[in-house]
Coordinates of all heavy atoms in Angstrom, one line a residue:
M155 N 122.7 106.4 127.2 CA 121.9 107.5 126.5 C 121.2 106.9 125.2 O 120.1 107.4 124.9 CB 122.9 108.5 126.0 CG 123.4 109.5 127.0 SD 122.1 110.3 127.6 CE 122.9 111.4 128.7
R156 N 121.7 105.9 124.6 CA 121.0 105.4 123.5 C 119.6 104.7 123.9 O 118.7 104.9 123.1 CB 121.8 104.4 122.7 CG 122.9 105.0 122.0 CD 123.6 104.0 121.1 NE 124.6 104.6 120.3 CZ 125.1 104.2 119.2 NH1 124.7 103.0 118.8 NH2 126.0 104.8 118.5
K157 N 119.6 104.2 125.0 CA 118.3 103.6 125.5 C 117.2 104.7 125.5 O 116.1 104.4 125.1 CB 118.5 102.8 126.7 CG 119.3 101.5 126.6 CD 119.3 100.8 127.9 CE 120.2 99.5 127.7 NZ 120.2 98.7 128.9
K158 N 117.5 105.8 126.0 CA 116.6 106.9 126.1 C 116.1 107.3 124.7 O 114.9 107.5 124.5 CB 117.1 108.1 126.8 CG 117.3 107.9 128.3 CD 117.8 109.1 129.0 CE 118.0 108.9 130.4 NZ 118.5 110.1 131.1
K159 N 116.9 107.3 123.8 CA 116.6 107.7 122.4 C 115.6 106.8 121.8 O 114.6 107.1 121.1 CB 117.8 107.9 121.6 CG 117.6 108.5 120.2 CD 118.9 108.8 119.5 CE 118.7 109.6 118.3 NZ 119.9 109.9 117.6
V160 N 115.9 105.4 122.1 CA 115.0 104.4 121.5 C 113.6 104.5 122.2 O 112.6 104.4 121.5 CB 115.6 103.0 121.7 CG1 114.6 101.9 121.4 CG2 116.8 102.8 120.9
K161 N 113.5 104.7 123.4 CA 112.3 104.9 124.1 C 111.5 106.0 123.6 O 110.3 106.0 123.4 CB 112.5 105.0 125.6 CG 112.9 103.7 126.3 CD 113.1 104.0 127.8 CE 113.6 102.8 128.6 NZ 113.8 102.9 129.9
L162 N 112.1 107.1 123.3 CA 111.5 108.3 122.8 C 110.9 108.0 121.4 O 109.8 108.5 121.1 CB 112.5 109.5 122.7 CG 112.9 110.1 124.1 CD1 113.9 111.3 123.9 CD2 111.6 110.6 124.8
T163 N 111.6 107.3 120.6 CA 111.0 107.1 119.2 C 109.8 106.1 119.3 O 108.9 106.3 118.6 CB 112.0 106.5 118.3 OG1 112.6 105.3 118.9 CG2 113.2 107.4 118.1
K164 N 109.9 105.1 120.2 CA 108.8 104.2 120.4 C 107.6 105.0 120.9 O 106.5 104.8 120.5 CB 109.1 103.1 121.3 CG 110.0 102.0 120.7 CD 110.2 100.9 121.6 CE 111.1 99.8 121.0 NZ 111.2 98.7 121.9
K165 N 107.8 106.0 121.8 CA 106.7 106.7 122.4 C 106.1 107.7 121.3 O 104.9 107.8 121.2 CB 107.3 107.6 123.5 CG 106.3 108.2 124.4 CD 106.9 108.9 125.6 CE 106.1 108.7 126.8 NZ 106.7 109.4 128.0
A166 N 106.9 108.2 120.5 CA 106.5 109.0 119.3 C 105.6 108.2 118.4 O 104.7 108.7 117.9 CB 107.6 109.7 118.6
W167 N 106.0 107.0 118.1 CA 105.2 106.1 117.2 C 103.8 105.9 117.7 O 102.9 106.0 117.1 CB 105.9 104.8 116.9 CG 105.0 103.8 116.5 CD1 104.5 102.7 117.1 CD2 104.5 103.6 115.2 NE1 103.8 101.9 116.3 CE2 103.6 102.5 115.1 CE3 104.6 104.4 114.0 CZ2 103.0 102.2 114.0 CZ3 103.9 104.0 112.8 CH2 103.1 102.9 112.8
K168 N 103.8 105.6 119.0 CA 102.5 105.3 119.6 C 101.6 106.4 119.7 O 100.4 106.4 119.5 CB 102.7 104.7 121.1 CG 103.2 103.3 121.0 CD 103.3 102.7 122.4 CE 103.7 101.3 122.3 NZ 103.7 100.6 123.5
S169 N 102.1 107.7 119.9 CA 101.3 108.8 120.0 C 100.8 109.4 118.7 O 99.7 109.7 118.5 CB 102.0 109.9 120.8 OG 103.2 110.3 120.2
G170 N 101.7 109.5 117.7 CA 101.4 110.2 116.5 C 101.0 109.3 115.4 O 99.9 109.4 114.7
Y171 N 101.8 108.3 115.1 CA 101.6 107.5 113.9 C 100.6 106.4 114.0 O 100.0 106.0 113.1 CB 103.0 106.9 113.3 CG 103.9 108.0 113.0 CD1 105.2 108.2 113.6 CD2 103.6 108.9 111.9 CE1 106.1 109.1 113.2 CE2 104.5 109.9 111.5 CZ 105.7 110.0 112.2 OH 106.6 111.0 111.8
E172 N 100.5 106.0 115.3 CA 99.5 104.8 115.5 C 98.1 105.3 115.2 O 97.3 104.5 114.6 CB 99.6 104.4 116.9 CG 98.9 103.2 117.2 CD 99.1 102.8 118.7 OE1 100.1 102.1 118.9 OE2 98.3 103.0 119.5
A173 N 97.7 106.5 115.5 CA 96.3 107.0 115.2 C 96.2 107.1 113.7 O 95.1 106.7 113.2 CB 96.1 108.3 115.9
R174 N 97.1 107.6 113.1 CA 97.0 107.7 111.5 C 96.9 106.3 110.9 O 96.2 106.1 109.9 CB 98.2 108.5 111.0 CG 98.3 108.6 109.6 CD 97.3 109.5 109.0 NE 97.4 109.6 107.6 CZ 96.4 109.3 106.7 NH1 95.2 109.1 107.1 NH2 96.6 109.3 105.4
F175 N 97.7 105.4 111.4 CA 97.7 104.0 110.9 C 96.3 103.3 111.2 O 95.8 102.7 110.3 CB 98.8 103.1 111.5 CG 98.9 101.8 110.9 CD1 99.2 101.6 109.6 CD2 98.5 100.7 111.7 CE1 99.3 100.3 109.0 CE2 98.6 99.4 111.2 CZ 99.0 99.2 109.8
E176 N 95.7 103.6 112.3 CA 94.4 103.1 112.6 C 93.4 103.6 111.7 O 92.5 102.9 111.2 CB 94.1 103.3 114.1 CG 94.8 102.4 115.1 CD 94.5 102.7 116.5 OE1 93.6 103.6 116.8 OE2 95.2 102.2 117.4
Q177 N 93.5 104.9 111.4 CA 92.6 105.5 110.5 C 92.7 104.9 109.1 O 91.7 104.6 108.4 CB 92.9 107.0 110.4 CG 91.9 107.7 109.4 CD 92.3 109.2 109.2 OE1 93.4 109.6 109.7 NE2 91.5 109.9 108.5
M178 N 93.9 104.6 108.6 CA 94.1 104.0 107.3 C 93.5 102.6 107.3 O 92.9 102.2 106.3 CB 95.6 104.0 107.0 CG 96.2 105.4 106.8 SD 98.0 105.3 106.5 CE 98.0 105.2 104.7
V179 N 93.7 101.8 108.3 CA 93.2 100.5 108.4 C 91.6 100.5 108.4 O 91.0 99.8 107.8 CB 93.8 99.8 109.7 CG1 93.0 98.4 109.9 CG2 95.2 99.5 109.4
G180 N 91.1 101.5 109.1 CA 89.6 101.6 109.2 C 89.1 101.9 107.7 O 88.0 101.3 107.4
E181 N 89.7 102.8 107.0 CA 89.3 103.1 105.7 C 89.4 101.9 104.7 O 88.4 101.7 104.0 CB 90.2 104.2 105.0 CG 90.0 105.6 105.7 CD 90.9 106.6 105.1 OE1 91.8 106.3 104.2 OE2 91.0 107.7 105.6
Y182 N 90.4 101.1 104.9 CA 90.5 99.9 104.1 C 89.4 98.9 104.4 O 88.8 98.3 103.6 CB 91.9 99.3 104.4 CG 92.0 97.9 103.7 CD1 92.1 97.7 102.3 CD2 92.0 96.8 104.5 CE1 92.1 96.5 101.8 CE2 92.0 95.5 103.9 CZ 92.1 95.3 102.6 OH 92.1 94.1 102.0
Q183 N 89.2 98.7 105.7 CA 88.2 97.7 106.2 C 86.8 98.1 105.6 O 86.0 97.2 105.2 CB 88.2 97.6 107.7 CG 89.4 96.8 108.2 CD 89.5 96.7 109.7 OE1 88.8 97.5 110.4 NE2 90.3 95.9 110.2
S184 N 86.4 99.4 105.7 CA 85.1 99.9 105.2 C 85.1 99.7 103.7 O 84.0 99.2 103.2 CB 84.8 101.3 105.6 OG 85.8 102.1 105.0
A185 N 86.1 99.9 103.0 CA 86.1 99.7 101.6 C 86.0 98.3 101.2 O 85.3 97.8 100.3 CB 87.4 100.4 100.9
K186 N 86.7 97.5 102.0 CA 86.7 96.0 101.8 C 85.3 95.4 102.0 O 84.8 94.5 101.3 CB 87.7 95.3 102.6 CG 87.9 93.8 102.4 CD 88.5 93.5 101.1 CE 88.8 92.1 101.0 NZ 89.2 91.7 99.6
A187 N 84.6 96.0 103.0 CA 83.2 95.4 103.4 C 82.3 95.8 102.2 O 81.4 95.0 101.8 CB 82.8 96.1 104.7
L188 N 82.5 97.0 101.6 CA 81.6 97.4 100.5 C 82.0 96.5 99.3 O 81.1 96.1 98.6 CB 81.9 98.9 100.2 CG 81.0 99.5 99.1 CD1 79.5 99.4 99.4 CD2 81.6 100.9 98.8
L189 N 83.2 96.2 99.1 CA 83.6 95.3 98.1 C 83.0 93.9 98.1 O 82.5 93.3 97.2 CB 85.1 95.2 97.9 CG 85.7 94.3 96.9 CD1 85.5 94.9 95.5 CD2 87.2 94.1 97.1
D190 N 83.0 93.4 99.3 CA 82.4 92.1 99.6 C 80.9 92.0 99.3 O 80.4 91.0 98.9 CB 82.8 91.6 101.0 CG 84.2 91.4 101.2 OD1 84.9 91.1 100.2 OD2 84.6 91.4 102.4
S191 N 80.2 93.1 99.4 CA 78.8 93.2 99.2 C 78.5 93.3 97.7 O 77.3 93.1 97.3 CB 78.1 94.3 100.0 OG 78.5 95.6 99.5
M192 N 79.5 93.7 96.9 CA 79.2 93.9 95.5 C 79.3 92.5 94.7 O 79.9 91.6 95.1 CB 80.2 94.8 94.9 CG 80.1 96.3 95.4 SD 81.4 97.3 94.6 CE 80.7 98.8 94.7
T193 N 78.7 92.5 93.5 CA 78.8 91.3 92.6 C 80.1 91.4 91.8 O 80.4 92.5 91.3 CB 77.6 91.2 91.8 OG1 77.4 92.3 91.0 CG2 76.4 90.9 92.6
K194 N 80.7 90.3 91.6 CA 81.9 90.3 90.8 C 81.6 90.5 89.3 O 80.6 90.1 88.8 CB 82.7 88.9 90.9 CG 83.3 88.9 92.3 CD 84.1 87.6 92.4 CE 84.8 87.5 93.7 NZ 85.6 86.3 93.9
G195 N 82.6 91.1 88.6 CA 82.4 91.3 87.1 C 81.8 92.6 86.7 O 81.9 92.9 85.5
T196 N 81.4 93.4 87.6 CA 80.8 94.6 87.2 C 81.9 95.7 87.2 O 82.9 95.6 87.9 CB 79.7 95.1 88.2 OG1 80.2 95.2 89.5 CG2 78.5 94.1 88.2
P197 N 81.6 96.8 86.5 CA 82.7 97.9 86.5 C 82.9 98.5 87.9 O 84.0 99.0 88.2 CB 82.2 98.9 85.5 CG 81.1 98.2 84.7 CD 80.7 97.0 85.5
E198 N 81.7 98.6 88.7 CA 81.9 99.1 89.9 C 82.7 98.3 90.9 O 83.5 98.8 91.7 CB 80.4 99.3 90.7 CG 79.6 100.3 89.9 CD 78.8 99.7 88.8 OE1 78.8 98.5 88.6 OE2 78.2 100.5 88.0
Y199 N 82.6 97.0 90.7 CA 83.4 96.1 91.5 C 84.9 96.2 91.2 O 85.8 96.3 92.1 CB 83.0 94.6 91.2 CG 83.8 93.6 92.0 CD1 83.3 93.1 93.3 CD2 84.9 92.9 91.5 CE1 84.0 92.2 94.0 CE2 85.6 92.0 92.2 CZ 85.1 91.7 93.5 OH 85.8 90.8 94.2
A200 N 85.2 96.4 89.9 CA 86.6 96.6 89.5 C 87.2 97.9 90.1 O 88.3 97.9 90.6 CB 86.7 96.6 88.0
A201 N 86.4 98.9 90.0 CA 86.8 100.2 90.6 C 87.0 100.1 92.1 O 88.0 100.7 92.6 CB 85.8 101.3 90.3
Q202 N 86.1 99.4 92.8 CA 86.2 99.3 94.3 C 87.4 98.4 94.6 O 88.1 98.6 95.6 CB 84.9 98.7 94.8 CG 84.9 98.7 96.3 CD 84.8 100.0 96.9 OE1 84.4 101.0 96.3 NE2 85.2 100.2 98.2
E203 N 87.6 97.3 93.8 CA 88.8 96.5 94.0 C 90.1 97.2 93.9 O 91.0 97.1 94.6 CB 88.7 95.3 93.1 CG 89.8 94.2 93.4 CD 89.6 93.0 92.5 OE1 89.2 93.2 91.3 OE2 90.0 92.0 92.9
K204 N 90.2 98.1 92.9 CA 91.3 98.9 92.7 C 91.6 99.9 93.8 O 92.7 100.1 94.3 CB 91.2 99.7 91.4 CG 92.4 100.5 91.0 CD 92.2 101.1 89.7 CE 93.5 101.9 89.2 NZ 93.3 102.6 87.9
L205 N 90.5 100.5 94.3 CA 90.5 101.4 95.5 C 91.1 100.6 96.8 O 91.9 101.1 97.5 CB 89.2 102.0 95.8 CG 89.1 102.8 97.1 CD1 89.9 104.1 96.9 CD2 87.7 103.1 97.4
C206 N 90.6 99.3 97.0 CA 91.0 98.5 98.1 C 92.4 98.2 98.0 O 93.2 98.3 99.0 CB 90.2 97.2 98.2 SG 88.5 97.5 98.8
D207 N 92.9 97.8 96.8 CA 94.3 97.5 96.6 C 95.1 98.8 96.9 O 96.2 98.6 97.5 CB 94.6 97.0 95.2 CG 93.9 95.7 95.0 OD1 93.6 94.9 95.9 OD2 93.8 95.3 93.8
S208 N 94.7 99.9 96.5 CA 95.5 101.1 96.7 C 95.6 101.5 98.2 O 96.6 101.9 98.7 CB 94.8 102.3 95.9 OG 95.4 103.5 96.2
L209 N 94.4 101.4 98.9 CA 94.4 101.6 100.3 C 95.3 100.7 101.1 O 96.0 101.1 102.0 CB 92.9 101.6 100.8 CG 92.0 102.7 100.4 CD1 90.6 102.4 100.8 CD2 92.4 104.0 101.0
F210 N 95.3 99.5 100.7 CA 96.1 98.4 101.4 C 97.6 98.8 101.1 O 98.4 98.7 102.1 CB 95.8 97.0 100.9 CG 96.6 96.0 101.6 CD1 96.2 95.6 102.9 CD2 97.7 95.4 101.0 CE1 96.9 94.6 103.5 CE2 98.4 94.5 101.7 CZ 98.0 94.0 102.9
A211 N 97.9 99.1 99.9 CA 99.3 99.4 99.6 C 99.8 100.7 100.4 O 100.9 100.7 100.9 CB 99.5 99.6 98.1
N212 N 98.9 101.6 100.5 CA 99.3 102.9 101.2 C 99.5 102.6 102.7 O 100.4 103.1 103.3 CB 98.2 103.9 101.1 CG 98.2 104.5 99.6 OD1 99.1 104.4 98.9 ND2 97.1 105.2 99.4
A213 N 98.6 101.8 103.3 CA 98.7 101.4 104.8 C 100.1 100.6 104.9 O 100.8 100.9 105.9 CB 97.6 100.7 105.2
E214 N 100.3 99.7 104.0 CA 101.5 98.8 104.2 C 102.8 99.8 104.0 O 103.7 99.6 104.8 CB 101.5 97.8 103.2 CG 102.6 96.8 103.3 CD 102.5 95.7 102.2 OE1 102.0 96.0 101.1 OE2 102.9 94.5 102.5
R215 N 102.8 100.7 103.1 CA 103.8 101.5 102.9 C 104.1 102.5 104.1 O 105.2 102.6 104.6 CB 103.7 102.4 101.6 CG 104.9 103.2 101.2 CD 104.7 103.9 99.9 NE 104.0 103.1 98.9 CZ 102.7 103.4 98.4 NH1 102.1 104.5 98.9 NH2 102.1 102.8 97.5
F216 N 103.1 103.0 104.7 CA 103.1 103.8 105.8 C 103.7 103.1 107.1 O 104.5 103.6 107.8 CB 101.7 104.3 106.2 CG 101.7 105.2 107.4 CD1 101.9 106.6 107.2 CD2 101.3 104.8 108.6 CE1 101.9 107.4 108.3 CE2 101.3 105.6 109.7 CZ 101.5 106.9 109.5
F217 N 103.2 101.8 107.2 CA 103.7 101.0 108.3 C 105.2 100.8 108.2 O 106.0 100.8 109.2 CB 102.9 99.7 108.4 CG 103.3 98.8 109.5 CD1 103.0 99.1 110.8 CD2 104.1 97.8 109.4 CE1 103.3 98.3 111.9 CE2 104.5 96.9 110.4 CZ 104.1 97.3 111.7
K218 N 105.7 100.4 107.0 CA 107.0 100.1 106.8 C 107.9 101.4 107.0 O 109.1 101.3 107.5 CB 107.3 99.5 105.4 CG 106.8 98.1 105.3 CD 107.1 97.5 104.0 CE 106.5 96.1 103.8 NZ 106.8 95.5 102.5
Q219 N 107.5 102.5 106.6 CA 108.2 103.8 106.8 C 108.4 104.2 108.2 O 109.3 104.7 108.6 CB 107.5 104.8 106.0 CG 107.8 104.8 104.5 CD 107.1 106.0 103.8 OE1 106.3 106.7 104.4 NE2 107.4 106.1 102.6
H220 N 107.3 103.9 109.0 CA 107.3 104.5 110.4 C 107.5 103.4 111.4 O 106.9 103.5 112.5 CB 106.0 105.2 110.6 CG 105.9 106.4 109.7 ND1 106.6 107.5 109.8 CD2 105.0 106.6 108.6 CE1 106.3 108.3 108.9 NE2 105.3 107.8 108.2
Q221 N 108.0 102.2 111.0 CA 108.2 101.1 112.0 C 109.3 101.4 112.9 O 110.3 101.9 112.6 CB 108.5 99.8 111.1 CG 108.2 98.7 112.0 CD 108.3 97.4 111.1 OE1 108.7 97.5 109.9 NE2 107.8 96.2 111.6

């Protein structure tokens, strides 16, 4: 019986959380691409870097919670 329960949780991860995680990673990658095109030392760069760090931390936290 336990094997069936494990299979169900893996199936649930792939169907629901995987799409959300992919969306979070996509948001991070687009923000990172914008950051790479900016020049260092500007206030806009600092704000974008803070946003990228926040998006990465959120994605990492989400992955660890739903692993």
Side-chain angles (χ1 to χ4, degrees):
M155 285 297 185
R156 286 189 175 198
K157 288 185 180 178
K158 288 183 181 180
K159 191 173 187 179
V160 170
K161 287 181 184 178
L162 290 177
T163 57
K164 285 185 180 181
K165 196 175 217 180
W167 162 253
K168 288 187 177 182
S169 63
Y171 296 121
E172 189 174 277
R174 175 70 178 129
F175 183 69
E176 286 178 5
Q177 179 188 7
M178 294 174 92
V179 169
E181 290 174 6
Y182 170 73
Q183 288 175 344
S184 64
K186 185 69 173 171
L188 183 62
L189 179 69
D190 292 339
S191 67
M192 294 178 151
T193 57
K194 289 185 179 181
T196 61
E198 294 87 11
Y199 182 87
Q202 187 67 22
E203 187 176 28
K204 186 175 180 181
L205 176 68
C206 286
D207 291 342
S208 173
L209 288 172
F210 183 81
N212 288 342
E214 188 177 31
R215 191 177 317 113
F216 182 85
F217 182 76
K218 286 182 181 179
Q219 283 179 349
H220 300 289
Q221 194 172 18

